[in-house]
């Protein structure tokens, strides 16, 4: 494992603190910025929990497949920055809801799964703190459930190789909907997250993997900043800057 403090500049440029981890599955090389935050600090998973919520939904039959529609309930919602959540305020398939990170869709999925079933799977997965101390449809958003960046890394690595305790079909569907960019140079698969810590700070995630020459590299980005910080594109800007510094995205590997 090597620590890379040169990555600090990408966080400072955006006025955030955070951590980043990259794992080269072929060589076993771990590159980490801010090791103590990566391994020892736990945070609300926010919408990165959609990975697990989807897996449990598929496994329990509450989500039939990625085309399953949950009708919009008619409530107009807004994003944390205040903009109307147009991508949420309509009927959505599971795939659309995953890509748009639509909270209402997945709150309904969680209600259908139920507390007892959800707790069983959190325990089975040993997912973070495994705690549902608040409501079944908010516990991943309100600091009840927490997970370390290191644990997020372990989850996406096992998902990629089909090693989680779910049917292959469930894992394959989630891997498919996580694919965000696919071109001649690389395939980039991830799930983002955006929430708020108890201290009011904005917290952002991007967890997933990049494949170049059919070889996977797993990553976790965790950022934290002022409450009113717009994390929308900021997270992806930092991720891509770090990946480029490490020789990704431009067909050089």
């Amino acid at each position: 494992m090597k620590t890379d403090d040169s990555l600090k500049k990408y966080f400072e440029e955006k006025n955030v603190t955070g951590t980043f981890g990259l794992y080269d599955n072929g060589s076993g090389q771990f590159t980490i910025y801010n090791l103590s935050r990566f391994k020892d600090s736990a945070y609300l998973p926010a919408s990165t929990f959609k990975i697990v919520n989807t897996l449990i939904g598929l496994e329990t039959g509450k989500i039939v497949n990625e085309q399953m529609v949950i009708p919009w309930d008619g409530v107009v919602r807004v994003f944390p920055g205040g903009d109307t959540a147009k991508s949420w305020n309509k009927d959505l398939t599971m795939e659309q809801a995953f890509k748009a990170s639509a909270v209402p869709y997945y709150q309904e999925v969680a209600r259908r799964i139920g507390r007892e079933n959800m707790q069983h799977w959190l325990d089975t997965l040993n997912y973070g703190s495994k705690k549902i101390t608040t409501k079944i449809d908010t516990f991943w958003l309100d600091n009840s459930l927490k997970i370390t960046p290191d644990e997020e890394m372990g989850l996406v690595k096992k998902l990629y190789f089909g090693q989680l305790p779910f049917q292959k079909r469930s894992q394959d569907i989630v891997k498919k909907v996580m694919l965000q960019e696919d071109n001649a140079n690389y395939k980039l698969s991830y799930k983002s997250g955006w929430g708020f810590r108890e201290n009011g700070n904005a917290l952002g995630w991007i967890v997933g993997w990049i494949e170049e020459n059919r070889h996977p590299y797993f990553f976790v980005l965790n950022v934290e900043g002022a409450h009113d910080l717009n994390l929308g594109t900021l997270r992806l800007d930092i991720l891509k800057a770090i990946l480029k510094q490490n020789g990704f995205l431009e067909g050089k590997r």
Side-chain angles (χ1 to χ4, degrees):
M1 186 189 73
K2 71 170 184 177
T3 55
D4 187 353
D5 291 334
S6 74
L7 304 184
K8 185 177 184 179
K9 61 182 178 286
Y10 299 117
F11 294 84
E12 289 183 336
E13 284 169 4
K14 303 288 188 180
N15 296 312
V16 294
T17 56
T19 182
F20 178 79
L22 178 70
Y23 181 71
D24 177 347
N25 195 71
S27 68
Q29 177 69 50
F30 231 129
T31 303
I32 293 181
Y33 163 68
N34 198 346
L35 179 61
S36 61
R37 186 178 176 104
F38 193 84
K39 291 191 70 174
D40 303 325
S41 300
Y43 306 90
L44 72 153
S47 282
T48 65
F49 188 70
K50 286 186 174 70
I51 296 170
V52 170
N53 207 352
T54 306
L55 286 165
I56 299 170
L58 288 163
E59 199 76 5
T60 58
K62 304 304 181 186
I63 299 175
V64 180
N65 55 39
E66 65 270 35
Q67 298 308 316
M68 188 185 91
V69 174
I70 292 180
W72 179 38
D73 60 7
V75 178
V76 176
R77 293 172 175 87
V78 296
F79 292 128
D83 294 331
T84 301
K86 291 179 182 176
S87 59
W88 295 6
N89 298 328
K90 56 187 177 181
D91 298 353
L92 294 170
T93 66
M94 183 275 274
E95 183 169 18
Q96 289 169 333
F98 192 95
K99 300 276 193 193
S101 208
V103 171
Y105 185 103
Y106 276 92
Q107 288 184 306
E108 177 59 24
V109 169
R111 289 190 289 266
R112 293 179 186 185
I113 290 168
R115 183 180 291 263
E116 190 176 325
N117 250 341
M118 188 73 80
Q119 189 65 64
H120 164 76
W121 283 106
L122 292 181
D123 292 340
T124 300
L125 285 166
N126 197 28
Y127 184 91
S129 64
K130 306 186 289 288
K131 290 183 178 177
I132 309 176
T133 56
T134 53
K135 295 178 180 177
I136 185 62
D137 57 3
T138 61
F139 69 92
W140 65 93
L141 299 167
D142 58 16
N143 296 287
S144 169
L145 179 68
K146 293 188 179 181
I147 190 166
T148 67
D150 193 33
E151 289 170 326
E152 290 265 32
M153 172 81 77
L155 179 80
V156 293
K157 184 170 175 286
K158 284 181 178 176
L159 172 63
Y160 180 88
F161 290 111
Q163 295 170 343
L164 292 171
F166 298 99
Q167 296 173 51
K168 181 178 184 295
R169 173 183 177 268
S170 301
Q171 296 181 80
D172 285 348
I173 288 173
V174 174
K175 283 165 62 179
K176 183 178 125 179
V177 298
M178 280 182 68
L179 181 63
Q180 304 281 1
E181 297 182 25
D182 186 359
N183 58 51
N185 291 334
Y186 63 87
K187 290 183 178 182
L188 184 62
S189 300
Y190 62 83
K191 185 70 199 78
S192 58
W194 183 351
F196 299 93
R197 297 189 64 191
E198 294 99 331
N199 63 9
N201 284 354
L203 185 92
W205 294 97
I206 302 186
V207 304
W209 55 84
I210 184 167
E211 295 171 90
E212 296 204 9
N213 293 318
R214 290 180 291 188
H215 187 83
Y217 304 79
F218 301 94
F219 58 79
V220 172
L221 173 71
N222 167 284
V223 300
E224 180 176 342
H227 182 86
D228 59 353
L229 195 66
N230 189 330
L231 297 180
T233 57
L234 180 151
R235 298 163 295 184
L236 200 57
D237 290 345
I238 294 176
L239 174 68
K240 289 195 169 183
I242 292 173
L243 289 176
K244 278 185 181 175
Q245 179 173 314
N246 282 275
F248 293 96
L249 305 177
E250 296 168 344
K252 295 175 181 176
R253 284 187 170 265

